[in-house]
Amino acid sequence: VSLEMCHGVDVGDCFFKEPTSTGSGAGYGVVSFKSTNIYIRKAVGVGMRHVVDLSSTYGAYANYVEDSDAKSATMVLCHNGFCGDIGVGKVVITTSEPTYMGNTSSQGYTIDGGTSADSVKREKHPVWNIDIGDIYIKTSSSVNSNFRALSLDTEMRGNINIGSVTLEYTNVE
């Protein structure tokens, strides 16, 4: 489901299963780009790169997001571009991949490594107001891997709310 330059969209229950590729730009479920006031009721995937991906989106909320065989970040709150007033109610993930499962991604765009006057740097465009409910992750990746349940890697301002985060390793003896 691709939403580009949309306003006031209510996305119902969606199910996505085993895309042919989960490489860069592939294997996405619901994608919102340059949009506002987006509500995603339920998005469930199997083997997706991203079940929900928000980019340059404001006023978006995903009530329930799940992937039973996640390959990368199941819920991307802000994938490059600029975002604000975004949230997710509950995220449920099962994975064997040693990666991050929910995240914001670097904000802004740079030209020539950020030295150009035309560059729009992420530190000048923070993410405003993020609301994250509960995150439950079950993983068989190694306890020693670089696994992150939630990665917020850009400047944020306003209200940042994070509910409970549960991470269960299934390969621990």
Side-chain angles (χ1 to χ4, degrees):
V1 177
S2 180
L3 308 171
E4 185 170 348
M5 298 186 352
C6 295
H7 175 77
V9 177
D10 185 339
V11 178
D13 295 353
C14 300
F15 180 73
F16 309 98
K17 185 175 180 183
E18 299 168 353
T20 55
S21 173
T22 56
S24 182
Y28 292 33
V30 178
V31 178
S32 176
F33 181 62
K34 297 180 184 176
S35 297
T36 60
N37 297 335
I38 306 299
Y39 179 75
I40 302 163
R41 189 172 311 124
K42 185 176 183 180
V44 176
V46 177
M48 304 297 291
R49 181 178 177 88
H50 306 309
V51 174
V52 173
D53 187 306
L54 306 176
S55 179
S56 297
T57 296
Y58 293 84
Y61 187 81
N63 186 57
Y64 182 87
V65 179
E66 178 181 349
D67 194 328
S68 60
D69 187 23
K71 301 304 180 193
S72 185
T74 296
M75 175 71 205
V76 183
L77 291 166
C78 195
H79 200 167
N80 303 319
F82 307 101
C83 294
D85 298 316
I86 51 179
V88 59
K90 184 172 186 175
V91 181
V92 177
I93 302 160
T94 302
T95 186
S96 60
E97 302 294 325
T99 185
Y100 47 86
M101 287 295 108
N103 77 319
T104 58
S105 189
S106 300
Q107 291 290 91
Y109 304 95
T110 59
I111 298 169
D112 299 327
T115 59
S116 169
D118 294 327
S119 290
V120 181
K121 296 184 178 181
R122 67 184 185 175
E123 57 268 15
K124 294 181 181 176
H125 297 276
V127 176
W128 283 88
N129 304 324
I130 295 179
D131 187 13
I132 301 170
D134 299 327
I135 299 173
Y136 174 76
I137 301 169
K138 186 176 184 178
T139 183
S140 60
S141 69
S142 168
V143 174
N144 298 318
S145 68
N146 189 22
F147 186 90
R148 290 168 279 167
L150 181 63
S151 178
L152 305 176
D153 77 342
T154 194
E155 185 175 342
M156 291 175 242
R157 295 187 186 158
N159 298 312
I160 311 301
N161 301 307
I162 301 171
S164 67
V165 176
T166 303
L167 177 57
E168 177 185 348
Y169 284 96
T170 60
N171 62 345
V172 179
E173 297 177 11

